[in-house]
Amino acid sequence: AGAASGARGPRERERAAQMLFEGLQVPAAFLGRSAPLTLYASGRPSGLVVDVGHGRTRVIPVQDGFPDYRASQEWMFGGLDSTDVLRRQLLATDASRAAASLDDVRQIKERIGFVPLRYDQEVRTISKRPFLLHDGSTVHIGSERMTCAEAFFHPRLVGIDHGGLASLVHMAVMQSNPDSRRTLYLNMVLCGGSTLYPGFVDRLHQEMQKLVPKGVPVNISAPANRAISPWLGASMLAGNPGFGGSWITSQEYLETGPSIVLRKCE
């Protein structure tokens, strides 16, 4: 038995239950939501989950374990898009041969990419760094290694018409209950592999300070294992002795069918 975090809509969740019980024939299962599971992994019942995933970025307020999807914000830009920004940037440089291999581009992004605190200043002074490609040749990477990350905060720099991550976070908070906004600003939790960029936390904090009301503190939690936070939260929840009554058993599934996931896992 285990807890899963990936399925989104009702049909997806029903299909996930069908796969678990009919395909894998598990004795029991529970489908959790990724945002509450992320907070659970960090020991928080309430907070604001900033999830920068592979193909999209989501900001989800959670109150006492329940996601507020009315206030949630979504941007169809994620790690894959950041990689593509880097690839396009490399094509216009002397390091263009690096763009021929998506794996090389991804490795450049993950190993030497970073988020600048002040892009306009650092782009003028950044030095090129050598990078060994998979074919054994070496290329030298300059500002491209920070532009791919800067796109999360200043997307118009790379031709994307969007206000960026900080504005997305601010909109989610402002759409939430006014009484909960301070709690959300104090309990922002990062999730997803793209938040691992060096400098990501400091830059987001700097951008948020420009948007929050004067005197309102901002606290951003960035767990070291945040690339897999929902799965860690699911593992912790599955191992909690008090969680036993929440499982969907195989017998319940046989009696009710896939729709039981919509009743027991909301």
Side-chain angles (χ1 to χ4, degrees), residues 11-35:
R11 290 184 179 179
E12 287 176 303
R13 292 167 72 77
E14 287 183 348
R15 281 196 295 267
Q18 191 173 13
M19 177 191 69
L20 289 168
F21 286 105
E22 299 179 27
L24 300 178
Q25 297 184 339
V26 299
F30 182 86
L31 296 183
R33 301 284 189 176
S34 63

Side-chain angles (χ1 to χ4, degrees), residues 2 14 31 39 63 70 78 82-83 91-93 108 124 146 160 165 169 177 186 191 210 213 218 231 258:
E14 287 183 348
L31 296 183
L39 287 184
Q63 289 292 331
R70 178 192 58 81
S82 179
T83 302
L91 283 171
T93 70
I108 291 170
R124 295 194 295 267
M146 69 176 180
I160 299 171
L165 181 60
V169 171
N177 188 314
L186 282 171
C191 171
K210 300 174 185 177
V218 173
W231 298 102

Side-chain angles (χ1 to χ4, degrees), residues 114-119 122 150 199 202-204 206-207:
F114 71 99
V115 178
L117 201 58
R118 295 174 180 84
Y119 180 86
E122 295 182 45
E150 177 71 10
D202 290 340
R203 178 62 180 279
L204 180 57
Q206 174 183 272
E207 297 296 326

Side-chain angles (χ1 to χ4, degrees), residues 188-250:
M188 293 173 56
V189 179
L190 299 186
C191 171
S194 290
T195 66
L196 293 171
Y197 273 122
F200 193 99
V201 178
D202 290 340
R203 178 62 180 279
L204 180 57
H205 190 274
Q206 174 183 272
E207 297 296 326
M208 291 309 304
Q209 291 287 7
K210 300 174 185 177
L211 297 174
V212 301
K214 187 176 181 179
V216 174
V218 173
N219 181 64
I220 302 174
S221 175
N225 49 22
R226 57 189 179 274
I228 56 170
S229 289
W231 298 102
L232 289 175
S235 177
M236 292 167 62
L237 190 63
N240 186 332
F243 187 68
S246 299
W247 293 109
I248 300 172
T249 66
S250 56

Side-chain angles (χ1 to χ4, degrees), residues 20-129:
L20 289 168
F21 286 105
E22 299 179 27
L24 300 178
Q25 297 184 339
V26 299
F30 182 86
L31 296 183
R33 301 284 189 176
S34 63
L37 290 173
T38 293
L39 287 184
Y40 192 82
S42 72
R44 294 172 171 84
S46 301
L48 188 71
V49 176
V50 181
D51 183 357
V52 185
H54 184 61
R56 60 179 175 160
T57 295
R58 296 185 301 163
V59 182
I60 306 172
V62 178
Q63 289 292 331
D64 297 321
F66 293 94
D68 182 359
Y69 290 114
R70 178 192 58 81
S72 299
Q73 302 295 319
E74 183 176 79
W75 176 25
M76 297 309 293
F77 186 92
L80 182 63
D81 304 281
S82 179
T83 302
D84 188 60
V85 168
L86 177 56
R87 183 189 65 81
R88 289 187 281 113
Q89 293 272 315
L90 291 172
L91 283 171
T93 70
D94 294 338
S96 59
R97 65 181 182 277
S101 167
L102 187 60
D103 186 58
D104 277 335
V105 177
R106 183 177 54 80
Q107 289 293 327
I108 291 170
K109 182 189 80 168
E110 293 179 357
R111 289 169 58 184
I112 63 174
F114 71 99
V115 178
L117 201 58
R118 295 174 180 84
Y119 180 86
D120 290 343
Q121 294 179 17
E122 295 182 45
V123 74
R124 295 194 295 267
T125 60
I126 189 171
S127 58
K128 290 192 174 184
R129 282 189 57 177

